[in-house]
């Protein structure tokens, strides 16, 4: 199955969503390519690999200094892990669970507030059940009032999503699509009742 085809799979799902409108200054920087959502996990991993390589070279010549550097790195990693946990807890409180229609290219959802068409938002999504975090920007395609629930139906296209986050999102969508198909097949017999000689669905 091609990567391009997987990007257009679309499902209904329940996810955590947090967003904010970009200021004019942030939007100008984003359009100029000066800022992007930070893929912190990949960045930290690249630093860890470089550190391990340098410490390996230092170990042969200055084992005591190498041990000291490794100890400092372990302490720094512990601090980073704590900060990540604090940040996760803050984000978890900030997220609001939404029923969405989502693909790797964009999504639609109901919001309590109107979002201007053409505006750009900074977007974070928490994918269930693993609470995988996906960050990107999104351009608001349309926003209309729904008379039934008095909420705004917003459609948006994702932008500036890292390859790492896009792959996480694609894998989540493919997995959830498979789960939903299995659930539908398992539920089918429960939706069929036999009443006398008449088979009703």
């Amino acid at each position: 199955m091609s990567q391009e085809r997987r990007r257009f799979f679309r499902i209904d799902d329940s996810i955590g969503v947090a967003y904010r409108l970009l200021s004019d200054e942030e939007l100008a920087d984003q359009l100029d390519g000066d800022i992007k959502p930070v893929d912190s996990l990949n960045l930290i991993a690249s630093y860890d690999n470089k550190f391990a390589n340098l410490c390996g070279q230092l170990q042969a010549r200055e084992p005591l200094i190498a041990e000291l550097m490794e100890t400092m790195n372990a302490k720094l990693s512990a601090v980073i892990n704590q900060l990540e946990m604090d940040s996760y807890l803050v984000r978890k409180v900030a997220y609001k669970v939404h029923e969405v229609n989502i693909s790797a290219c964009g999504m639609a959802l109901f919001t309590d507030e109107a979002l201007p068409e053409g505006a750009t938002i900074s977007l974070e999504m928490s994918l269930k059940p693993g609470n995988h975090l996906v960050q990107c920007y999104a351009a608001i395609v349309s926003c209309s009032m729904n008379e039934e629930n008095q909420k705004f139906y917003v459609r948006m296209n994702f932008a500036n999503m890292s390859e790492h986050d896009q792959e996480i999102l694609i894998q989540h969508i493919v997995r959830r699509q498979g789960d939903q198909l299995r659930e539908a097949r398992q539920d089918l017999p429960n939706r069929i009742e036999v009443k006398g000689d008449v088979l009703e669905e």
Side-chain angles (χ1 to χ4, degrees):
M1 185 182 304
S2 69
Q3 178 80 358
E4 190 64 21
R5 285 184 60 192
R6 293 195 305 161
R7 291 181 68 244
F8 289 97
F9 280 165
R10 184 171 289 276
I11 62 168
D12 294 322
D13 200 9
S14 177
I15 66 173
V17 176
Y19 65 85
R20 66 178 180 85
L21 280 169
L22 292 182
S23 66
D24 291 340
E25 182 179 30
E26 289 174 313
L27 181 57
D29 288 341
Q30 188 262 336
L31 292 175
D32 289 339
D34 292 338
I35 59 173
K36 292 183 179 181
V38 177
D39 190 350
S40 57
L41 293 180
N42 278 351
L43 186 61
I44 291 173
S46 67
Y47 285 142
D48 282 342
N49 290 336
K50 185 175 181 179
F51 181 86
N53 182 49
L54 293 174
C55 273
Q57 297 177 35
L58 185 62
Q59 183 70 40
R61 295 180 296 173
E62 299 287 349
L64 186 60
I65 296 178
E67 183 179 356
L68 174 62
M69 296 297 293
E70 289 172 353
T71 302
M72 292 176 63
N73 187 56
K75 181 178 180 180
L76 182 59
S77 294
V79 172
I80 291 174
N81 288 337
Q82 183 61 50
L83 291 174
E84 285 286 333
M85 179 59 68
D86 292 344
S87 178
Y88 166 75
L89 292 175
V90 170
R91 290 196 304 263
K92 189 173 182 180
V93 172
Y95 289 144
K96 183 175 181 180
V97 176
H98 287 267
E99 299 298 322
V100 303
N101 183 260
I102 188 170
S103 73
C105 301
M107 71 175 178
L109 74 164
F110 286 106
T111 64
D112 294 325
E113 60 179 341
L115 295 175
E117 294 184 11
T120 301
I121 61 174
S122 174
L123 176 67
E124 292 188 3
M125 297 173 285
S126 178
L127 307 178
K128 310 298 181 182
N131 291 320
H132 298 295
L133 177 64
V134 172
Q135 298 173 292
C136 65
Y137 295 121
I140 306 302
V141 176
S142 66
C143 178
S144 58
M145 168 65 77
N146 183 280
E147 297 297 337
E148 292 184 3
N149 59 17
Q150 293 298 300
K151 292 181 179 292
F152 295 93
Y153 190 65
V154 179
R155 294 191 301 119
M156 62 185 71
N157 290 332
F158 300 143
N160 286 26
M161 184 181 293
S162 70
E163 292 184 5
H164 176 264
D165 280 4
Q166 187 173 76
E167 185 60 28
I168 288 177
L169 180 57
I170 289 174
Q171 289 182 9
H172 171 80
I173 290 172
V174 171
R175 184 167 56 249
R176 288 290 294 131
Q177 187 180 55
D179 292 343
Q180 291 172 3
L181 289 174
R182 281 191 295 272
E183 290 169 3
R185 285 196 295 267
Q186 292 170 359
D187 188 52
L188 184 59
N190 298 328
R191 294 189 288 112
I192 299 177
E193 295 182 9
V194 177
K195 295 183 179 180
D197 295 331
V198 180
L199 182 66
E200 296 186 354
E201 183 174 348

